[in-house]
Amino acid sequence: MLKPAFCLAGVEHMKELIRFTFVLGLSLGIDLAVASTLIYLAVASLPVAAAAGFAAGGLSNYVLHETWTFRGAKALREDRAALSLTRAGRYSIVLGAGFATRVGSVALLDATWPVLPVWAVLGVGILASFIVHFALSKAFVFQRPFPDQDFNHDP
């Protein structure tokens, strides 16, 4: 039989995963808006616009993950000092790993199964980078114990 603390941890992990997915979608919108605006206004080349969009999306990702995704509503009410240069640096490493995972998986699939449709190859790349991004974010950047839970306690 599952212990209550384990069940609560599972629910909290699922809430984090949902918040994580929402934040990535929002940050992707920011990324595309910045890049598209720079291209539309003709103030940057496509590579520069893509880099600026990626940076804006990455920054919004970090801030939202730090202040909301991995903290939850209770932590936000109790602690407003959320941002950290150390975690921001770690998060930039995670972004790099996610980027490398996406590009690497797309290149590998394209080289080994060239008959796959482009949308399928990109979809696998996005899914692979999502998994790596979430796992590394949780383990390397935003590792915090759950408040009010003792996982060693037997009820």
Side-chain angles (χ1 to χ4, degrees), residues 7-17 19 71-72 146:
C7 294
L8 290 174
V11 168
E12 184 60 28
H13 285 303
M14 185 55 68
K15 288 179 183 178
E16 284 180 350
L17 183 58
R19 291 189 300 258
R71 295 178 64 82
F146 290 108

Side-chain angles (χ1 to χ4, degrees), residues 38-151:
L38 292 174
I39 293 295
Y40 178 75
L41 296 176
V43 293
S45 65
L46 184 57
V48 171
F54 185 82
L59 179 62
S60 65
N61 260 335
Y62 167 70
V63 171
L64 290 169
H65 286 325
E66 182 73 85
T67 59
W68 183 54
T69 303
F70 292 106
R71 295 178 64 82
K74 182 178 180 185
L76 276 178
R77 286 190 304 270
E78 293 173 356
D79 178 17
R80 297 285 179 192
L83 301 179
S84 157
L85 287 177
T86 300
R87 285 188 299 273
R90 287 181 178 181
Y91 191 73
S92 66
I93 294 169
V94 169
L95 282 177
F99 180 78
T101 300
R102 181 170 304 177
V103 172
S105 61
V106 166
L108 179 65
L109 280 175
D110 188 45
T112 57
W113 290 333
V115 296
L116 287 176
V118 170
W119 63 265
V121 172
L122 291 175
V124 169
I126 289 168
L127 180 61
S129 66
F130 178 88
I131 292 167
V132 166
H133 193 162
F134 181 77
L136 290 178
S137 291
K138 181 78 176 146
F140 180 61
V141 181
F142 303 109
Q143 71 279 22
R144 292 186 178 102
F146 290 108
D148 306 325
Q149 292 184 10
D150 179 3
F151 293 104

